[in-house]
Structure formats: C-alpha cells, structure tokens
Amino acid sequence: MARLPQENILPITLNQHSSQSLPEQIAAQIRAGVATGSLVAQQALPSTRQLAEQLGVARGTVVNAYEQLQSEGYVTARPGGTTRISPELPAIPTAPIPTPTAMTPQSPQDQLSLRPGQASRQVAQDSTWRSAWRQAASLTAPEIDIRPLLARHMQQTRSVVATNIELTGGGRAGFAAVLIALEQLVGRKLHVGFEFPGIVSLRQVASSLGHRVVRLHTDTEGVVPEALPHGKSVPDLVVVTPSHQYPVGGSLPAQRRFALMEWARTAGCWIVEDDYDSELRHATAPLPALAAIDDAADPRVIFLGSFRTLLTPAVRAGWITAPTPVFTQILRVQRDTGVGASAISRRALAWYLHSGHLPKHTRRMRKFYRGRLNQLQAKMSPIAGVEILGKSSGLNAALQTTAPEQQLVSACAAQQLEVVGMGEYWGHGVRHNGLMLGFGGGTDAEFEQALAILGTVLAGDDGAA
C-alpha cells in the first residue's frame, strides 16, 4: 500500500468507544485545528479517500465529516476538487499543539443528554441537503435570491404575506439586530418584556447588550394580556412565543392574540414573535402567526424564524420580517456588524428551498419528533407523580414531578445523564417543579438508554439513599 505524503496527514485520533460518532470526532478535531491555528485559511485537506486510509475508516465516514464542516462554513469544496479550509475564516496566531495522548475508553452511557434544544441531525443524511451545499460551494452555479423563497415559506406555513424579509444569522443574532436597531431609532437603552418562564437565551442577549429585562406574567396558555404593563411601565418591546410557549408549551388562544395586538397598538409597543418551532406541530395545525393578523395601517409585529430545529443547529440561520422603518434599520445593522448568515449558508439554504424539498423534510421531522415524544410518554405514564406538560409541538417537553427537581438532576448526573431543572426558566419564584427535557438529540439507542435511566431515577430506584 502506497504511503501518504507527510504533508497530507492530519493529526487526528479516533476513539471507537466514544459516544461521539466517528464523523463528529473528525469534524471536531479539524475545528480544533482551525481554532489553534494549525489549520489555516485556504489550506488543502487530504482527500476523503486519503484521510479514510490514514484513519482506517470507511470513506463515507470522512465524507460525512467534510460535509458537516462545509455546512458550518469551515471548509469549501468543489465537485472533484480539493477540500480546503474556508478562505473566509480569520487568521489565528499559531501556538504549540500538545502531543495527542491515548484516549481512555468511555462507558457507552457517558455524555448521554436529554437537555432541551437539541435538534436531530437527520438532515445531514438528506441527499438534497448535501447537493445544496455542493451548489453553494460551486463557482459556476447561478445565484438564487433567497428572499422570495423565504416569503413563500412564510405564506405557506404561517399565513404571513411578507414584503420585508431577510435571512439572519439565527434566532439570537436576529434578535440582537432587532435590539440594536430599535436602540438606534429611540436613542437609548430599551425596556424589554419577556415571558416568565421563558427562553433564557434571548433574555441573555438583551441583558448582555445593556437593556433592562421586564417580567411578563404567563399561565398555561401563554402571556396574560390583562396583566401587561400600562402607562409609564410599558416596555419598548415584548418577546412572546404564541405558537408554543416555552417552556410550558401552551398555545396562545385567538382571543388573547387579538387582545395582545390591541394592547401593543394602544401602548405603542413592539412585539417580537419568536416562532422557534411552529412547523413541528404534532397534532393540529398551529394558529396563524401574530404577524398574519397585524394591522397593515399600524404594524407592530417583528417576526423571528429559525432553521435550528427544522434543519440543524449546525447552520446558524433564520429569517426576520418587520415593519418598514424597523426593517430598514435592521438591514443597516446586519450590514454594519456582520451578524447575518454567512455567504455560503445563504447560498446553500437558497438552493435547498429552491429544490422544494423542505416540506417533505418537515413532514419527516414531525413524524420523527412525534415518535420520540410517544416513547417519552410511554416511559413516563406508569410513573406516579409525573406529568408531561405542553405536548402539542416541538422537540422539548416540560416534565412536572413531585420529587424535588435538584434531587432528580443530581441523581441523573450520577448516572451520566444530563437533564435540566425547570427552575432555570423561571429564576426566582418557581411555579412548577420538575425537568425540562429535549427529545431530539442522540441516536435511537442513546435516547432509549437515556429514557431508561430517567425512568429509574423518577421511579426512585436509582440507588440513592
């Protein structure tokens, strides 16, 4: 067998016993090489056949790793050409790289997680998705404008006719652009209302940018319009999740939607509608978005969509619609700060939407997540003192329990299972006791094993004194 040229050998060590798949290990070590400066922009990587030979794995394993890195913008490739570190990555000063040490075999149950927000990576197995990234990397493929494709997606799935629509760098990046734009328009820091409990990540964005966080009262159906602030206490904007309140899971009824819209118009408040997983409805179709019932004469709704749960968290991309004055300022912010999606992600998503394959993928993912939820329900239903809240959509579930949540979190951690207490979403004054679970990540075998551990802990058979 011919030896590989020394310059084409990557310092990669694989652990066959790790819970991390082989493609994920390869991708992670190439990312680390970029981070340390040992791999630099435009550097050629070994061919998939060469690296597979070096590591003693199937060529398809390396192909999957390279395609994942390409989807994240770390590498570029042309059909039949050389795969290279992306030229868009910044130069990083090189530093000495420690000599790899032998990896200790891990237990199969190490690093199991039911942490919420973990989406399935099944889209990586989709040939149309891979083809879209190849087109995005091609120098000869024509450009496709993604904006009319996003508008059509909005109209078909959320009943919104969007004239102002743009791709963002994901939910948090899009929200950051909104906050910066509004601050520039009003000339001061903002008062931002959030549902409590609610999505922690967006609250952290507002706090990190120096804005004041205001609590909005919620119940099992979502935000309560009658309890919204009035007079001088009215915030500049409120962030709501009407299709699937996070984390409790309720859907805001129609009468509350209209009441919220009327309050916003009267108070002069903007509404940010975080529509993070409405396409993944398990049963009935979701109600139309708030943006669909907005008053064209006095629009108040800024809509945030995300590809994180629908496609993959590896591609940090979403979309935004907004009334013209705010939208124009958001475009300036994205241009000036660079918080939008990368050029290669934009091209790949445009090709994928253009293919018309997204509705089929959405149906497949609905079926997948519904199946995972059914597994969770089957495992939890026989256990006394356990109730699943908000089962209508998405890839997360709130599990209300009688046992103290910190005791459950600790007991699961002792068996190498990561779970999250519901208190993280309320902060002080917790109303529900229990766990927030995500059922999107991991292989089927890992998910079954995680459920078995969780069931043992909840049933009180975990061996704790």
Side-chain angles (χ1 to χ4, degrees), residues 82-95:
T82 301
T83 299
R84 296 179 180 274
I85 300 299
S86 172
E88 295 183 9
L89 294 176
I92 300 173
T94 59

Side-chain angles (χ1 to χ4, degrees), residues 31-319:
R31 289 190 207 101
V34 172
T36 60
S38 63
L39 295 175
V40 298
Q42 301 193 60
Q43 180 175 336
L45 297 180
S47 70
T48 55
R49 193 177 304 279
Q50 284 178 317
L51 187 54
E53 180 182 325
Q54 172 194 328
L55 299 176
V57 298
R59 180 169 174 255
T61 299
V62 180
V63 170
N64 287 340
Y66 278 12
E67 287 179 346
Q68 179 63 37
L69 290 166
Q70 188 174 351
S71 75
E72 297 171 2
Y74 276 89
V75 303
T76 61
R78 287 185 296 168
T82 301
T83 299
R84 296 179 180 274
I85 300 299
S86 172
E88 295 183 9
L89 294 176
I92 300 173
T94 59
I97 302 173
T99 304
T101 56
M103 300 179 70
T104 304
Q106 297 173 302
S107 164
Q109 72 178 27
D110 277 356
Q111 301 177 356
L112 289 175
S113 178
L114 291 176
R115 188 173 186 86
Q118 298 183 100
S120 167
R121 296 181 182 269
Q122 283 195 23
V123 72
Q125 314 299 326
D126 186 338
S127 60
T128 308
W129 175 253
R130 297 197 298 270
S131 174
W133 284 95
R134 286 194 293 270
Q135 293 285 1
S138 171
L139 298 178
T140 58
E143 292 288 339
I144 297 177
D145 188 353
I146 196 172
R147 290 169 296 184
L149 298 172
L150 290 171
R152 184 175 65 181
H153 176 70
M154 280 282 289
Q155 186 167 13
Q156 291 175 343
T157 62
R158 305 302 290 118
S159 303
V160 175
V161 178
T163 53
N164 297 327
I165 192 164
E166 183 54 271
L167 195 69
T168 68
R172 285 180 293 181
F175 184 54
V178 170
L179 293 175
I180 296 170
L182 288 176
E183 180 184 352
Q184 291 173 348
L185 289 173
V186 303
R188 57 170 172 78
K189 292 296 181 181
L190 308 172
H191 291 187
V192 187
F194 286 92
E195 298 169 331
F196 270 77
I199 297 178
V200 177
S201 61
L202 295 189
R203 293 207 305 262
Q204 291 172 336
V205 171
S207 297
S208 68
L209 292 175
H211 303 292
R212 180 185 172 191
V213 171
V214 178
R215 289 176 175 244
L216 303 180
H217 178 63
T218 65
D219 59 17
T220 55
E221 292 182 327
V223 69
V224 180
E226 295 80 6
L228 290 169
H230 291 276
K232 294 183 179 180
S233 299
V234 171
D236 297 289
L237 72 156
V238 295
V239 182
V240 295
T241 52
S243 292
H244 187 206
Q245 201 283 328
Y246 192 91
V248 178
S251 180
L252 197 66
Q255 63 271 25
R256 287 198 185 186
R257 292 171 183 246
F258 285 107
L260 174 61
M261 298 295 296
E262 180 60 30
W263 171 83
R265 280 191 290 270
T266 302
C269 180
W270 297 105
I271 298 174
V272 174
E273 180 175 9
D274 183 11
D275 198 63
Y276 65 98
D277 73 354
S278 66
E279 295 99 336
L280 300 174
R281 194 83 174 172
H282 297 316
T284 59
L287 289 169
L290 290 179
I293 61 173
D294 204 1
D295 185 352
D298 184 20
R300 309 305 306 173
V301 179
I302 301 165
F303 182 98
L304 287 177
S306 175
F307 288 113
R308 175 183 174 85
T309 54
L310 190 57
L311 293 175
T312 170
V315 178
R316 294 190 175 183
W319 65 96

